[in-house]
Amino acid sequence: MAKLLIIEDEKDIVQALEYNLKKEGFAVSKAYDGLQGLKLARELSPDLIILDLMLPGLDGLELCRTIKREPPTENIPVIMLTAKGSETDKVVGLEVGADDYITKPFSMRELIARVRAVLKRYGKKSKIVQARLKFTDLTIDAEKHEVLASGKPVDLTAKEFSLLQFLAENQGRVFSRERLLDQVWGIEASIETRTVDVHIRRLREKLGKAGKRLITLRGVGYKFV
Ligand code: CA
């Protein structure tokens, strides 16, 4: 059963969407503002997000941009709901990475058809993206969100997992703290670069021997080898 997340502040629209999507066999979660939406997107890893453009807290464009740039959520397809049917809204929506958009008012049948089409398109793509990363002493399974170091499961926080996954996917490449913040944490400007150091230190502790794969390049950043 595909899991959908609806992020929309108009309660009657959410209600109608929820009712119809559940009837079609989808599992539905919902958020009524941008920040709650982002939180749920990270926690639930839905298969698809239906995202309203105009939202309190964090607007749909900013939210979409954030979702599409963080490793844990970047592969989640987004269908954007635009209010006025204005061309600019559509163009900007697609620019920030939305996979499709639908203008209000829309028919449920139309929306469900779009949801199915995007899920189908992504089903093919995600199998390649979500491959398991395997090294002699370390396995990172993105689908199960599971890390094994020397065969033993390691308990990581979501950010630690994303950081490790991102570095391992790009093994050998050096990333500055700023770049890692941008990639793993998104656009939360309040976070200091020291956060990256703290997470790397915890990862090293938790991974034991495999933690030696995380290399510090003084004054430059980090890489995975
Ligand atoms: Ca709205």
Side-chain angles (χ1 to χ4, degrees), residues 177-179 181 190-198 222:
R177 291 169 176 79
E178 289 77 12
R179 178 76 198 281
L181 272 183
S190 57
I191 294 176
E192 291 179 39
T193 49
R194 226 180 65 83
T195 307
V196 179
D197 304 335
V198 173
Y222 295 102

Side-chain angles (χ1 to χ4, degrees), residues 5 15 18 81 110 126 128 130 144 156 183 216 225:
L5 172 61
Q15 217 172 19
E18 187 182 18
L81 302 178
E110 166 85 6
S126 61
I128 305 159
Q130 296 191 336
K144 292 191 198 154
L156 298 183
Q183 282 290 337
T216 309
V225 293

Side-chain angles (χ1 to χ4, degrees), residues 8-10 52-56 104:
E8 159 71 276
D9 59 320
E10 283 163 75
D52 184 36
L53 186 66
M54 304 288 280
L55 284 170
K104 294 181 192 171

Side-chain angles (χ1 to χ4, degrees), residues 71-142:
T73 53
E74 68 184 343
N75 297 316
I76 303 173
V78 174
I79 296 180
M80 203 161 252
L81 302 178
T82 67
K84 296 147 277 175
S86 103
E87 276 306 310
T88 349
D89 285 355
K90 292 175 193 168
V91 172
V92 176
L94 295 176
E95 260 173 20
V96 295
D99 299 89
D100 202 353
Y101 55 83
I102 191 161
T103 41
K104 294 181 192 171
F106 53 84
S107 79
M108 280 298 159
R109 191 191 276 191
E110 166 85 6
L111 180 109
I112 287 162
R114 298 284 186 95
V115 167
R116 290 201 195 287
V118 171
L119 282 174
K120 200 171 162 195
R121 208 160 77 210
Y122 256 78
K124 289 174 193 147
K125 220 200 266 180
S126 61
K127 281 195 193 92
I128 305 159
V129 179
Q130 296 191 336
R132 215 201 290 179
L133 293 163
K134 219 172 166 179
F135 308 93
T136 49
D137 51 357
L138 184 67
T139 305
I140 304 165
D141 191 322

